[in-house]
Amino acid sequence: MSQPLLVAVDSGVQTITLNRPDRLNSFNAEMHGLLREAFARAERDASIRAVLLTGAGRAFCAGQDLSERDVSAGAASIDLSVTVGSHYNPLVRRMRALPKPIVCAVNGVAAGAGANVALACDLVLAAKSASFIQAFAKIGLVPDSGGTYFLPRLVGTARAMGLALLGDRLAAEDAERWGLIWKTVEDDKLTDEATRLARALAAGPTKGLGLIKRAMVVSASNTLDAQLDLERDLQREAGFTEDYREGVAAFMEKRKPEFRGR
Ligand code: T3D
């Protein structure tokens, strides 16, 4: 049987591929477990300096595997807070706390939690034929995996409300125009472009990039005063890295910096 998650490390990039294409890469418990392991490895393994998340086949991810939910007459009601609390929330928290950049290559439809896990990544690239669907309202649920946090912050309340209440498909190019994602690329260029981007990040000043990510992640809920203090503290940390010394030395010597991620 094929693995529901493929993980490969090359040139400092850990590529994680959701691999249940016949179910549009929807999440089940096994996939969540493997994702947990993959992100834990990304955190502890210094040779991994960026993560690339994508999907196998024609979809990125269709959210929760609905075939795992017994909603037949007479079946006991399911407490969905259990899976949200034990799988989705820890996944999004882990991704946001990872001190390394995560690139998402949205290769096809991203629906439900699949859309919001994509939005939890740091740079979202999408194939022009891809789309984003807040599918929750169509089945009587509430956007989870950070959807109600990311959407209004990325596209404003009016558009967030429309996406969440209607659950309609948003084409990748509209998602780019609205500022929901970083950019779209031609379908046949997605893998190359996402890999190029992830490798460029992996060759960057990893500690500094991690600090940038931390500042951006908390800025949504910080005051300007708190953010200014945080920037001061993070700059202190960044200034103690080897990569900062290398960056300045390379600039002065008019050469390309060789960052080591330290
Ligand atoms: O339960 C909890 O733990 C709470 C947490 C919830 C988090 C969530 O993500 S809730 C939202 C769950 N996801 C959805 O509601 C999306 C369901 N899927 C769709 O709406 C559509 O499949 C898509 C719009 C994503 C794609 O449509 P289309 O026409 O391109 O493909 P399709 O024909 O609908 O799907 C192809 C196959 O994948 C099909 O199986 P089949 O007929 O070929 O055997 C379909 O049943 C299967 N599939 C698609 N999405 C899911 C799925 N199977 C299980 N779970 C899915 N989410």
Side-chain angles (χ1 to χ4, degrees):
M1 239 170 61
S2 62
Q3 285 291 317
L5 202 74
L6 306 176
V7 182
V9 179
D10 185 22
S11 308
V13 177
Q14 182 196 48
T15 300
I16 303 176
T17 307
L18 308 174
N19 188 39
R20 303 181 69 229
D22 52 330
R23 288 270 157 263
L24 303 192
N25 302 321
S26 53
F27 293 107
N28 62 9
E30 189 186 5
M31 192 193 264
H32 274 294
L34 294 167
L35 270 169
R36 199 159 36 243
E37 279 171 29
F39 279 108
R41 179 179 169 199
E43 176 141 19
R44 69 171 181 268
D45 185 341
S47 74
I48 295 172
R49 293 168 63 185
V51 174
L52 172 57
L53 180 65
T54 193
R58 72 176 175 90
F60 171 69
C61 174
Q64 170 63 35
D65 185 335
L66 297 175
S67 69
E68 289 203 330
R69 301 283 171 255
D70 182 0
V71 289
S72 57
S77 293
I78 311 159
D79 179 352
L80 299 180
S81 75
V82 174
T83 41
V84 171
S86 60
H87 291 321
Y88 292 100
N89 287 355
L91 172 63
V92 171
R93 288 192 174 112
R94 192 168 286 121
M95 291 168 69
R96 300 289 278 179
L98 185 73
K100 300 172 184 179
I102 307 175
V103 175
C104 188
V106 181
N107 52 300
V109 64
N116 295 335
V117 165
L119 300 182
C121 296
D122 304 313
L123 277 181
V124 185
L125 251 71
K128 285 202 171 156
S129 68
S131 55
F132 296 82
I133 310 177
Q134 293 295 320
F136 306 89
K138 301 276 193 204
I139 55 168
L141 292 185
V142 179
D144 59 22
S145 306
T148 59
Y149 179 91
F150 299 127
L151 287 171
R153 285 169 172 79
L154 289 167
V155 300
T157 310
R159 283 173 162 166
M161 199 65 103
L163 291 172
L165 290 178
L166 301 172
D168 287 342
R169 190 185 289 265
L170 182 71
E173 285 179 291
D174 290 329
E176 178 184 22
R177 215 164 29 82
W178 287 14
L180 188 70
I181 62 169
W182 170 239
K183 67 172 169 176
T184 54
V185 294
E186 296 298 334
D187 288 20
D188 61 352
K189 301 274 188 310
L190 180 70
T191 306
D192 283 355
E193 179 63 12
T195 304
R196 190 194 61 73
L197 204 59
R199 284 187 179 175
L201 289 166
T206 310
K207 287 255 156 48
L209 298 185
L211 297 175
I212 292 174
K213 174 170 171 172
R214 201 195 312 168
M216 290 294 181
V217 165
V218 300
S219 81
S221 49
N222 254 352
T223 60
L224 174 61
D225 265 350
Q227 199 66 16
L228 288 171
D229 287 347
L230 178 70
E231 287 173 1
R232 175 200 61 211
D233 296 345
L234 297 182
Q235 204 68 298
R236 179 172 189 274
E237 261 187 77
F240 289 144
T241 62
E242 279 180 31
D243 283 341
Y244 164 68
R245 286 173 179 265
E246 167 62 7
V248 175
F251 175 79
M252 297 309 293
E253 292 160 21
K254 300 192 187 303
R255 62 174 171 80
K256 210 167 157 273
E258 276 183 48
F259 294 120
R260 302 197 184 285
R262 296 192 291 256

